[in-house]
Amino acid sequence: MNETLAADLSEKEIFPIVDEKGNVVGKATRKECHSGTRLLHPVVHLHVLNDKGEIYLQKRSAHKFIQPGKWDTAVGGHMDYGETVEEALERETREELGFTGYEPKHLFSYIFDSEVEREMVHTYYTVTDRESFDFDPSEVDEGRFWTVEEVKTAIGTGVLTPNFEDEFLRILGER
């Protein structure tokens, strides 16, 4: 995506602003949410597991503004203003992986703070027998299933996003 288009989308995309209980209390542009304002906005994550217990990760596009080129949750994206968590999860999964017809199970919700944004993360998982996905090359450079040991070995090396590392450790009960 070229920089002009990205800047234009940053001004046009409207996210809900929520309180710490998840109630919508306002709205703001993507740019406002990612400019250090600390505006709490909701996102969805979907962890995709296979029947061997491996976890699918996507390598974020090198053109992404936040954490480019790092391995991350199979699906992760912002909720649009007026959208429910479930609608956002379905849309993001379809857009990023071309994956539909799955059964999401809610794990937990939590607040994640980074240097550029503050997110209320709604985390789900699903199990599939699919071996690959039709990911969007503007969003994702590649994707593959990782063993739990591979992920544990990669933690702290800089190849995974900090958000994914934190969430993975929460899932394992180590956070």
Side-chain angles (χ1 to χ4, degrees), residues 92-113:
E92 287 290 342
T93 304
R94 185 181 60 253
E95 287 175 0
E96 291 188 7
L97 295 183
F99 185 33
T100 59
Y102 63 95
E103 185 179 328
K105 295 176 181 71
H106 186 254
L107 283 169
F108 46 72
S109 296
Y110 67 97
I111 294 174
F112 182 79
D113 266 312

Side-chain angles (χ1 to χ4, degrees), residues 43-49 55 73-75 85-86 89 103-110 121-127 164 166-173:
V43 300
V44 293
H45 285 178
L46 179 68
H47 295 279
V48 178
L49 307 171
I55 185 168
T73 310
V75 174
V85 171
E86 293 78 14
L89 185 66
E103 185 179 328
K105 295 176 181 71
H106 186 254
L107 283 169
F108 46 72
S109 296
Y110 67 97
V121 184
H122 300 283
T123 305
Y124 290 79
Y125 80 96
T126 194
V127 179
F164 172 75
D166 178 74
E167 194 164 282
F168 184 77
L169 293 172
R170 284 176 191 262
I171 292 169
L172 294 180

Side-chain angles (χ1 to χ4, degrees), residues 55-68:
I55 185 168
Y56 188 86
L57 300 184
Q58 60 151 288
K59 188 173 186 184
R60 294 174 60 82
S61 168
H63 304 291
K64 289 281 200 176
F65 176 69
I66 296 175
Q67 302 294 330

Side-chain angles (χ1 to χ4, degrees), residues 7-134:
D8 189 44
L9 287 175
S10 185
E11 292 290 339
K12 290 184 177 174
E13 284 184 279
I14 305 296
F15 297 158
I17 303 305
V18 297
D19 63 20
E20 295 199 0
K21 293 184 179 175
N23 301 306
V24 176
V25 296
K27 58 185 173 179
T29 65
R30 172 186 286 269
K31 183 177 181 181
E32 290 170 310
C33 290
H34 291 176
S35 64
T37 59
R38 318 304 297 147
L39 293 171
L40 183 60
H41 57 286
V43 300
V44 293
H45 285 178
L46 179 68
H47 295 279
V48 178
L49 307 171
N50 64 20
D51 56 4
K52 294 184 254 179
E54 296 170 328
I55 185 168
Y56 188 86
L57 300 184
Q58 60 151 288
K59 188 173 186 184
R60 294 174 60 82
S61 168
H63 304 291
K64 289 281 200 176
F65 176 69
I66 296 175
Q67 302 294 330
K70 292 193 177 184
W71 289 92
D72 201 2
T73 310
V75 174
H78 293 87
M79 284 177 55
D80 291 334
Y81 187 74
E83 198 172 39
T84 67
V85 171
E86 293 78 14
E87 289 167 341
L89 185 66
E90 183 178 319
R91 175 182 52 77
E92 287 290 342
T93 304
R94 185 181 60 253
E95 287 175 0
E96 291 188 7
L97 295 183
F99 185 33
T100 59
Y102 63 95
E103 185 179 328
K105 295 176 181 71
H106 186 254
L107 283 169
F108 46 72
S109 296
Y110 67 97
I111 294 174
F112 182 79
D113 266 312
S114 74
E115 292 149 11
V116 295
E117 64 181 333
R118 189 165 177 247
E119 300 175 326
M120 173 165 279
V121 184
H122 300 283
T123 305
Y124 290 79
Y125 80 96
T126 194
V127 179
T128 184
D129 58 0
R130 289 182 64 160
E131 294 180 16
S132 64
F133 298 92
D134 300 319

